[in-house]
Amino acid sequence: MITKESIENLKSHLDVVDVISQFIELKKTGANFKACCPFHGEDTPSFVVSPVKQIYHCFGCGAGGDSIKFVMEHEKLSYPEALEKLASMSNVSLEYDNNFKKIDSSIIVKVNEYYQKLLTHNEESKKYLKSRGISDFSIEKFEIGYASNSNDTINFLKSNFLNLADAKEFGIIDTGKNGLYSRFIERITFPIYTITGVVVGFGGRTITGHNAKYINSPQTKLFNKSKLLYGYHLAKEMIYKQKTVIVTEGYLDVVMLHQAGFSNTVATLGTALTTEHLPLLKRGEPKVIVAYDGDKAGLNAAYKASLLLSNSQFKGGVVIFTQGQDPADMVHGNKIDELNAMFANTIPFIDFVIDSIINKYNLENAQEKQSALQESNDYLKTLSPILQEEYSTLIARKLNINSQLIQVQHYEQQKSTNINLSSIDISELSIIKTVLDNPSYLELVKKELSADMFEIHSNEYNMMLNDPNDPSLMGLMLNEHLISYTKEELNNQLVIILMPYYKKKLQQLHYAEHLNYREKANLTRELKYKLIELKSKKLIVG
Ligand SMILES: [Zn+2]
């Protein structure tokens, strides 16, 4: 392993502008540098590099980080590989020590090994996996395991002198009414890896008919299920090579499709596809194939995914598995040719969205037809002018109406979302930016402001409180439309948000039926006092 000291030494030699300009051309604009983003296709530059903050951020796809992160992403390298590349680029030598212990995740690695060993002794699980057609090779490749009863896992941790607090941190165990318990009980386990190959959590399928067929590890510092994709670390090479990624809904679909040679398959972790998945999906610019079930939930998920992906300019389309089939069953039934044909004939995202909208309505009824037109029109407006033109004819044909009834938006109305910030956006986001720029304000702002006081950006505020290093916040730090307030300005802004908030609270008290007279009087007094305090601007960041 590379020593900490030599990593620090390397970092002190790196300049983010120097590093990135060895890969792409940067143009100076004001204090920052700009370029067309290398991580997603674009014609107008939304990729910003800040020499002052030593970070980069793309306002288009959300990619961002420091010099090391850039080399990792751009060159598809692991962290140590990126360090080695940077060291040789900047003529710095690295030192290594022989201590190969995996620092943080060693405990979850051991539990993963333990679950795998348990599987070899559990006939029921093996029988189930076999019945689904999963080969021994796949069991090994995906490190499928078995978590037995709660005591077994806890005894394993204790007898190996593993740190129980760490085990809790990783969501392996938790404390309940009757003491410690294991989160995975009598379940087949599927370890979930990050893109760099670190195991951070598990998915588990019950084999004893538990109500929850599948569960995941709880959200932890490392395990964010709306960001991770199951199987990505095993699929990434093929995704880059074939420029195609297949997104499914389940662990077994991934395992079985890999088994049949579709080793560019991944799955969401029991959640819908979200914007947080997009940076990972964008890597290598692949075409995305959304392969979902044909039941109501699957169709709805495919509709939402298509909406998201078409709005974010992803290429690709949808495959729907009908008649109760799923990809795993088809591989098991040896229908590989059929699968190939399906993946080759996807319904493009935009077509799928339009069809889903129109299918909701009964076009025989004039009023419903009007609604179908309205809704597809609204969707059309989110697309580029060329696509709007193209698809207005399709919609007209499907609704059997004159295409002039479909209003295509004109080009100048299409502006980047960054610029279209409302004054509320600016005021809320600027507070967050100010605190990110001046961490010493954090405690004071936190004391006065809770996330529910934000009208729009409570998510970002929560993120700032919990994970200020999240890359999506980097965009705020570099967004030139936002203001980094002085102390006084910050005070004024807080008053602007807090005044209407407490006034509204005060009004609501009138109608609060669950409070008695006395409680109401007390709260009223408190709120009035608060408002007086705010009026005199006797606040906060002193
Ligand atoms: Zn980008």
Side-chain angles (χ1 to χ4, degrees):
M1 243 167 72
I2 305 166
T3 63
K4 250 191 181 157
E5 294 76 25
S6 73
I7 295 174
E8 286 312 313
N9 177 44
L10 172 65
K11 279 185 180 167
S12 70
H13 280 84
L14 297 177
D15 176 72
V16 73
V17 177
D18 264 2
V19 169
I20 295 180
S21 53
Q22 303 204 33
F23 298 96
I24 60 173
E25 200 181 325
L26 295 175
K27 277 216 176 90
K28 192 155 176 25
T29 46
N32 294 330
F33 291 78
K34 273 191 172 176
C36 282
C37 176
F39 303 114
H40 81 279
E42 63 173 2
D43 306 322
T44 47
S46 46
F47 180 87
V48 180
V49 183
S50 161
V52 178
K53 304 207 159 77
Q54 284 292 310
I55 53 175
Y56 67 94
H57 177 81
C58 172
F59 289 98
C61 67
D66 60 5
S67 300
I68 301 170
K69 178 92 183 296
F70 180 85
V71 172
M72 287 170 69
E73 302 231 338
H74 195 262
E75 302 297 287
K76 324 268 186 256
L77 297 176
S78 69
Y79 182 66
E81 287 164 350
L83 291 176
E84 277 161 356
K85 178 157 186 119
L86 281 163
S88 78
M89 276 164 61
S90 44
N91 268 327
V92 175
S93 55
L94 293 171
E95 280 152 31
Y96 296 78
D97 61 27
N98 294 322
N99 196 353
F100 269 95
K101 201 174 145 239
K102 281 209 172 176
I103 325 133
D104 283 321
S105 55
S106 63
I107 188 160
I108 194 166
V109 169
K110 284 190 181 126
V111 171
N112 185 30
E113 283 165 3
Y114 170 65
Y115 287 161
Q116 287 173 73
K117 212 174 89 197
L118 286 184
L119 178 72
T120 61
H121 303 298
N122 186 268
E123 294 310 319
E124 214 175 340
S125 305
K126 282 197 287 188
K127 213 169 87 192
Y128 172 76
L129 292 170
K130 202 163 183 189
S131 76
R132 297 302 306 263
I134 295 167
S135 70
D136 289 345
F137 179 80
S138 292
I139 291 177
E140 210 166 296
K141 175 177 170 184
F142 285 91
E143 300 173 2
I144 299 171
Y146 170 67
S148 47
N149 63 52
S150 196
N151 283 338
D152 283 352
T153 303
I154 286 158
N155 286 338
F156 167 78
L157 294 169
K158 283 183 177 163
S159 62
N160 284 282
F161 306 106
L162 295 171
N163 187 323
L164 296 180
D166 284 354
K168 258 193 204 174
E169 190 85 0
F170 274 102
I172 298 163
I173 54 170
D174 204 356
T175 316
K177 266 183 261 158
N178 306 316
L180 287 177
Y181 69 95
S182 163
R183 291 218 174 230
F184 291 86
I185 298 168
E186 292 169 344
R187 282 176 188 275
I188 293 176
T189 55
F190 300 85
I192 297 158
Y193 279 79
T194 63
I195 178 172
T196 50
V198 182
V199 54
V200 286
F202 294 99
R205 190 203 191 277
T206 179
I207 55 157
T208 45
H210 190 275
N211 273 345
K213 209 164 163 194
Y214 282 94
I215 59 164
N216 285 313
S217 293
Q219 205 85 343
T220 65
K221 264 184 218 149
L222 288 166
F223 184 76
N224 178 352
K225 67 177 174 183
S226 27
K227 249 183 203 167
L228 293 165
L229 291 167
Y230 177 66
Y232 195 95
H233 70 297
L234 295 171
K236 67 177 173 188
E237 227 182 290
M238 207 42 98
I239 293 171
Y240 295 139
K241 224 187 224 162
Q242 301 192 339
K243 294 247 164 225
T244 306
V245 55
I246 301 171
V247 182
T248 61
E249 291 179 292
Y251 300 105
L252 287 182
D253 292 333
V254 174
V255 174
M256 289 302 277
L257 283 172
H258 274 246
Q259 197 170 299
F262 301 98
S263 41
N264 53 340
T265 307
V266 299
T268 49
L269 303 174
T271 64
L273 203 65
T274 69
T275 46
E276 287 188 276
H277 288 119
L278 299 187
L280 189 53
L281 271 186
K282 263 270 146 95
R283 279 166 181 260
E285 295 288 311
K287 190 175 101 184
V288 179
I289 297 176
V290 167
Y292 285 3
D293 291 348
D295 59 8
K296 209 170 167 197
L299 285 172
N300 191 32
Y303 165 69
K304 286 190 174 147
S306 300
L307 208 54
L308 182 66
L309 293 168
S310 61
N311 280 329
S312 311
Q313 282 102 44
F314 276 84
K315 287 189 219 80
V318 180
V319 170
I320 295 294
F321 291 86
T322 47
Q323 287 148 10
Q325 295 237 57
D326 64 22
D329 294 333
M330 286 186 69
V331 173
H332 194 196
N334 216 6
K335 297 178 183 159
I336 312 298
D337 290 342
E338 255 176 77
L339 276 168
N340 263 315
M342 287 174 87
F343 291 142
N345 289 297
T346 56
I347 309 163
F349 295 128
I350 300 176
D351 297 64
F352 190 81
V353 172
I354 291 172
D355 280 343
S356 309
I357 291 173
I358 291 178
N359 285 340
K360 284 193 301 191
Y361 296 99
N362 168 16
L363 301 182
E364 307 286 307
N365 176 315
Q367 229 152 22
E368 291 213 20
K369 195 165 174 173
Q370 166 67 33
S371 306
L373 172 62
Q374 181 68 43
E375 200 178 331
S376 29
N377 231 336
D378 287 344
Y379 167 62
L380 210 56
K381 286 178 192 161
T382 66
L383 305 175
S384 78
I386 294 174
L387 292 171
Q388 291 188 34
E389 196 76 54
E390 194 74 24
Y391 277 95
S392 58
T393 352
L394 177 85
I395 294 176
R397 211 176 51 232
K398 293 210 176 215
L399 293 177
N400 197 14
I401 55 171
N402 188 324
S403 69
Q404 273 164 351
L405 285 172
I406 295 167
Q407 287 158 6
V408 177
Q409 274 212 328
H410 292 297
Y411 194 68
E412 53 275 15
Q413 282 167 282
Q414 291 264 329
K415 284 254 166 71
S416 138
T417 46
N418 288 321
I419 298 160
N420 281 337
L421 289 171
S422 71
S423 59
I424 301 177
D425 284 319
I426 292 181
S427 130
E428 293 188 355
L429 291 173
S430 292
I431 289 179
I432 299 172
K433 179 184 170 122
T434 304
V435 179
L436 287 170
D437 283 345
N438 309 281
S440 63
Y441 295 163
L442 176 66
E443 284 309 313
L444 294 154
V445 170
K446 201 163 122 183
K447 213 178 87 207
E448 292 298 332
L449 216 54
S450 61
D452 62 318
M453 297 175 182
F454 282 79
E455 244 177 83
I456 306 174
H457 296 286
S458 54
N459 273 345
E460 285 91 338
Y461 185 67
N462 265 329
M463 201 182 278
M464 181 197 84
L465 297 181
N466 299 322
D467 187 8
N469 293 320
D470 191 286
S472 47
L473 291 176
M474 246 176 246
L476 297 183
M477 292 175 74
L478 293 181
N479 192 326
E480 286 158 4
H481 303 283
L482 303 178
I483 306 151
S484 195
Y485 294 127
T486 62
K487 246 186 216 176
E488 203 187 329
E489 286 168 335
L490 179 62
N491 262 329
N492 292 339
Q493 286 301 320
L494 289 173
V495 172
I496 289 172
I497 289 187
L498 290 172
M499 279 286 237
Y501 177 82
Y502 286 117
K503 275 186 187 159
K504 202 167 138 198
K505 277 260 139 126
L506 198 57
Q507 275 172 355
Q508 282 167 347
L509 264 188
H510 287 294
Y511 308 102
E513 282 165 8
H514 60 288
L515 297 174
N516 63 35
Y517 173 76
R518 203 200 175 102
E519 287 167 327
K520 270 191 193 179
N522 279 338
L523 276 170
T524 307
R525 196 174 330 110
E526 262 174 49
L527 286 170
K528 281 193 172 154
Y529 182 73
K530 194 84 211 173
L531 283 164
I532 293 169
E533 221 183 22
L534 284 169
K535 255 181 217 152
S536 67
K537 292 189 184 169
K538 224 174 56 188
L539 248 186
I540 317 166
V541 193

